Amino acid sequence: MSTDPIKAAPLRPGTYARGAETVDLILKAALEVLLEEGASGFSLRRIAAKCGMKVGNLSYHFPRKEALIQLLLEELLESYGRLLDRTVRETDLTSEERLRAVIDICLVDIQSRRTTHLFTELWALANHNAFIADRVEAFYRSVQDIIGEYVGELNPALNAEEVQIVALYISASMEGTTPFLGHNKPWHAQMGQIRNLSSKTLVHLAKTVTPSDIRGPEEPVQLKPRPRKGESARRT
């Protein structure tokens, strides 16, 4: 059981109606501060000012900014889950179509202002905060689990570890588009073509990659050099 006070806290503070409304207000303000002012401006004091509260009142619900990041990511993941339920899981699609849909949803989302700015700022915060780095990693692992579910169905020759590697590769390939094709980024207008290429190549990879492709070539045998003529084979 975790002893971290943030990890051990309830998923969402504010169990009564007014408290829940306050939490919603704080979360909205926190997201706006992170998007508008970046990692350097993300503080409880700045968030409190944004939503017209005293820092002490905000701290009652969120004693540390890390707790805000945790809840923002958990609720974002839940929203993605609801989207997948509507568009992927509860529809009559094949595993290939489901994976293709997940890839397309992720790439479309990357182009939104919220996602482009939110995750680049979270990466910056994660560079200096181990807890936030852990929460961002957990978020991406959840996304990779979703991808891995369909990879495993498409390619039963892969074991669980190999499925995870392929899912990681697909996830990394998509996230890597953020600084190039995200909101207002230099190649934003080319995302349509990149989506087409990603849908074709990443799904094909998931279907056809083999365990030996993942392992790569076997390590060459290291042969001991033969002694030169006149040199004793036995060295002291």
Side-chain angles (χ1 to χ4, degrees):
M1 181 177 295
S2 173
T3 58
D4 188 299
I6 298 178
K7 292 183 181 179
L11 176 65
R12 201 179 202 279
T15 55
Y16 55 96
R18 187 173 179 182
E21 291 174 2
T22 301
V23 169
D24 287 339
L25 179 65
I26 294 170
L27 286 175
K28 182 180 179 183
L31 182 58
E32 289 176 359
V33 168
L34 195 53
L35 297 183
E36 295 170 5
E37 303 182 30
S40 60
F42 191 73
S43 67
L44 293 184
R45 185 173 299 279
R46 186 67 194 92
I47 295 164
K50 185 75 173 177
C51 57
M53 298 176 64
K54 294 181 179 179
V55 176
N57 292 341
L58 187 148
S59 299
Y60 172 79
H61 296 283
F62 296 98
R64 295 163 60 188
K65 66 182 181 181
E66 288 85 352
L68 273 166
I69 294 294
Q70 178 179 7
L71 189 54
L72 279 172
L73 286 172
E74 288 171 347
E75 297 208 343
L76 182 60
L77 195 60
E78 287 181 4
S79 72
Y80 287 149
R82 291 191 295 270
L83 175 61
L84 291 176
D85 284 342
R86 295 194 307 271
T87 60
V88 178
R89 298 185 181 119
E90 296 179 0
T91 55
D92 188 19
L93 299 176
T94 65
S95 296
E96 179 175 339
E97 290 169 335
R98 292 180 198 277
L99 179 57
R100 198 181 306 277
V102 169
I103 291 170
D104 201 56
I105 287 169
C106 289
L107 290 174
V108 168
D109 186 62
I110 281 171
Q111 286 213 294
S112 70
R113 173 180 175 272
R114 180 197 67 176
T115 297
T116 295
H117 289 200
L118 174 61
F119 282 94
T120 51
E121 297 302 336
L122 286 175
W123 297 338
L125 287 168
N127 284 335
H128 307 284
N129 187 304
F131 177 82
I132 293 176
D134 180 73
R135 294 298 87 203
V136 172
E137 178 185 339
F139 177 90
Y140 281 120
R141 284 187 182 277
S142 296
V143 174
Q144 290 160 26
D145 286 344
I146 295 168
I147 296 170
E149 178 183 348
Y150 303 128
V151 171
E153 292 173 1
L154 284 172
N155 198 333
L158 304 179
N159 63 31
E161 182 179 357
E162 291 158 351
V163 165
Q164 189 274 327
I165 290 294
V166 175
L168 173 60
Y169 179 84
I170 292 173
S171 176
S173 298
M174 294 189 295
E175 290 301 318
T177 67
T178 302
F180 302 101
L181 299 127
H183 179 74
N184 280 343
K185 297 303 181 181
W187 292 277
H188 178 91
Q190 277 70 54
M191 180 58 100
Q193 294 96 316
I194 297 301
R195 282 167 57 194
N196 293 336
L197 286 171
S198 298
S199 178
K200 181 179 179 64
T201 59
L202 295 178
V203 172
H204 179 73
L205 171 76
K207 291 168 59 179
T208 61
V209 67
T210 66
S212 61
D213 292 330
I214 297 169
R215 288 195 305 271
E218 297 293 334
E219 289 294 324
V221 176
Q222 297 294 323
L223 299 176
K224 293 182 179 180
R226 297 177 62 184
R228 289 174 293 182
K229 187 176 181 180
E231 181 182 4
S232 174
R234 184 177 179 180
R235 299 182 181 183
T236 58

